Amino acid sequence: MNFSFHSPFVLPVKLDINKTTNRSKSQPLKGWTLAVKDLFDIDGMLTTAGNPDWAATHPIATQTSETVARLLDAGAEFVGKTITDELAYSLNGQNIHYPALINCLDKDRISGGSSSGTVVAVGRNLARIGLGTDTGGSIRVPASYNNLIGFRPTHGLISLKNVVPLAPSFDTPGWITRTIEDALEVAKCLIPSQQTEDTPFSTPVALTDLIEFAQHKVEIEQWLKTTFPVGVSKSQTISAEDVEKAANAFRVLQGREIWQTHGEWITNSQPTFADDIQQRFEWCETLTKDDELFAIEQQQTLQNKVSALLTQGQYLLLPTTPGPAPRIDTSASEIAEYRKKLMQFTCIAGLTGCPQLHMPLFKQHNTAYGLSILGPKNSDLSLLRLGQKLMGTA
């Protein structure tokens, strides 16, 4: 693929933080290049959150994010901050304030967001580690679209101090790599040492209805037959009705929290957003406490069902996205409808706080898509080890 692409980095980057970072004796990531989504503060640099009005109304950072600092202390070499969708409130990777980012496989498809620049940096071999955030799928979705590994850890496990929030109850850091082995090494540096790899994963539980709705259903079913010759238990699953209710609940809970987080700034600053993002913020403002309480009930229902499935070494298998990345010429109305469908695939990890790993298992022509595995809270290292086995690299 020789088609040209715009830089995924926010420019100019003039500060070399690598020279001022305290390095530990042990540097497992020595020489690994690191691209950082422009939500993470870095001392001496401006955090723009993908929006010029945000940049104009916030000071230069005076502290570096704890998560970034841990990677730097482990030897990673910072190469730049990357473009994010505005305030991370999108899954498309299209920001009106920057040149369009290009999907790493197909110039006619979107890159996916909101960790869009980070994904492109890794996909173009401009960085070995891509550090981003995931609220509603912002690591997992672009990883799927660009044939990369994407990992969303257990909610609250890794620090988001000095990171611009979107909806803190769902926000997590996350990372993109080209290999599962790299993803595991990053996890070892970021996940607290008290977490052990003692989750005895053995039996997958397929989310049957989501597989039925995936464009790559045939590939998934063939992979399941090859990987699990004795079959996959489908006696319990999450229904189409379950995931539709869950997605609606996630949108409401996320929206309520987004407005609580950013509503005052939006009202006072009147920032310029892309039309679709502006419309979503306006919708957030309309959500009521009653909407929130009803959505919490739906969340608790899903949490109970997922908890019942994740027992005795079971884990969930689900398509990460409905299929490959949408084309860039897809109409705004079609993208809006697609987003609702996409949220049915991505909302489960957010509503339950469970870790999820995207595995880039399928690639056809210039498109990619895959499967995710989702495990109980705090099974992160075990889940990544399981990913190695399922991908045939362990």
Side-chain angles (χ1 to χ4, degrees):
M1 291 166 290
N2 296 318
F3 51 83
S4 61
F5 62 95
H6 293 114
S7 171
F9 293 107
V10 178
L11 298 176
V13 176
K14 297 180 179 179
L15 183 67
D16 186 359
I17 64 172
N18 299 304
K19 294 180 180 179
T20 59
T21 303
N22 294 322
R23 299 298 177 125
S24 62
K25 292 181 180 179
S26 174
Q27 294 188 1
L29 304 181
K30 185 176 181 180
W32 291 32
T33 46
L34 170 67
V36 178
K37 184 177 184 177
D38 195 20
L39 296 181
F40 292 80
D41 284 350
I42 294 178
D43 185 13
M45 297 183 70
L46 185 64
T47 302
T48 76
N51 182 272
D53 293 306
W54 181 275
T57 54
H58 290 79
I60 290 174
T62 57
Q63 290 183 301
T64 295
S65 152
E66 291 180 6
T67 299
V68 172
R70 291 186 69 173
L71 293 174
L72 295 174
D73 288 345
E77 300 289 337
F78 173 71
V79 294
K81 280 195 169 189
T82 57
I83 296 169
T84 174
D85 294 4
E86 296 180 83
L87 271 65
Y89 198 15
S90 178
L91 290 171
N92 295 334
Q94 298 169 315
N95 188 322
I96 62 171
H97 306 291
Y98 295 95
L101 292 174
I102 304 297
N103 184 289
C104 296
L105 303 176
D106 186 346
K107 63 181 177 60
D108 295 322
R109 295 182 184 272
I110 65 173
S111 62
S114 64
S115 300
S116 47
T118 297
V119 169
V120 172
V122 174
R124 299 289 181 186
N125 288 312
L126 302 175
R128 186 167 177 176
I129 308 167
L131 181 65
T133 62
D134 188 307
T135 303
S138 294
I139 286 285
R140 295 162 287 156
V141 169
S144 178
Y145 291 169
N146 292 275
N147 200 43
L148 299 168
I149 297 288
F151 186 66
R152 174 194 166 101
T154 297
H155 182 264
L157 183 65
I158 299 172
S159 174
L160 278 173
K161 185 178 180 180
N162 295 314
V163 180
V164 177
L166 180 62
S169 294
F170 305 107
D171 295 346
T172 67
W175 49 95
I176 299 282
T177 59
R178 298 185 70 85
T179 70
I180 184 67
E181 288 76 18
D182 282 4
L184 181 58
E185 288 304 311
V186 173
K188 291 176 181 177
C189 294
L190 293 180
I191 290 174
S193 58
Q194 61 265 32
Q195 185 180 121
T196 59
E197 298 178 59
D198 58 0
T199 304
F201 286 125
S202 58
T203 308
V205 179
L207 294 184
T208 310
D209 286 333
L210 278 178
I211 291 174
E212 289 294 324
F213 299 151
Q215 295 179 38
H216 50 303
K217 171 188 172 183
V218 173
E219 290 96 328
I220 293 173
E221 291 181 339
Q222 182 57 52
W223 182 86
L224 290 173
K225 290 178 182 178
T226 302
T227 307
F228 307 102
V230 297
V232 175
S233 171
K234 298 180 183 178
S235 59
Q236 292 179 302
T237 189
I238 296 177
S239 69
E241 183 180 8
D242 289 334
V243 293
E244 184 175 2
K245 289 180 178 179
N248 289 335
F250 180 84
R251 290 175 63 243
V252 169
L253 293 174
Q254 181 194 42
R256 275 281 287 179
E257 197 161 329
I258 286 171
W259 193 252
Q260 290 165 356
T261 302
H262 292 304
E264 182 177 356
W265 174 76
I266 291 172
T267 300
N268 293 337
S269 300
Q270 295 294 304
T272 299
F273 293 120
D275 289 344
D276 60 326
I277 294 177
Q278 176 69 36
Q279 290 167 9
R280 286 199 288 277
F281 278 124
E282 291 173 355
W283 173 76
C284 290
E285 187 178 9
T286 69
L287 295 170
T288 66
K289 185 64 176 179
D290 286 342
D291 294 329
E292 180 182 359
L293 292 174
F294 181 75
I296 289 173
E297 292 179 6
Q298 299 299 317
Q299 179 185 26
Q300 292 172 340
T301 298
L302 178 76
Q303 288 174 340
N304 292 337
K305 290 183 177 182
V306 171
S307 179
L309 290 173
L310 298 179
T311 59
Q312 299 178 349
Q314 291 182 308
Y315 56 95
L316 300 184
L317 276 167
L318 64 159
T320 309
T321 59
R327 295 178 59 85
I328 58 175
D329 58 0
T330 305
S331 70
S333 60
E334 290 176 305
I335 284 288
E337 285 302 310
Y338 174 80
R339 178 184 173 84
K340 293 179 181 178
K341 183 178 181 180
L342 178 60
M343 295 302 292
Q344 295 181 25
F345 288 72
T346 63
C347 70
I348 296 172
L351 289 170
T352 62
C354 293
Q356 181 175 335
L357 168 68
H358 166 72
M359 303 179 294
L361 295 172
F362 313 118
K363 184 179 177 183
Q364 185 175 16
H365 304 303
N366 291 337
T367 59
Y369 29 84
L371 272 175
S372 279
I373 49 176
L374 184 145
K377 290 182 180 179
N378 298 311
S379 65
D380 303 66
L381 294 175
S382 295
L383 198 68
L384 285 159
R385 292 288 190 194
L386 174 63
Q388 281 187 301
K389 293 179 181 179
L390 293 177
M391 295 182 67
T393 66

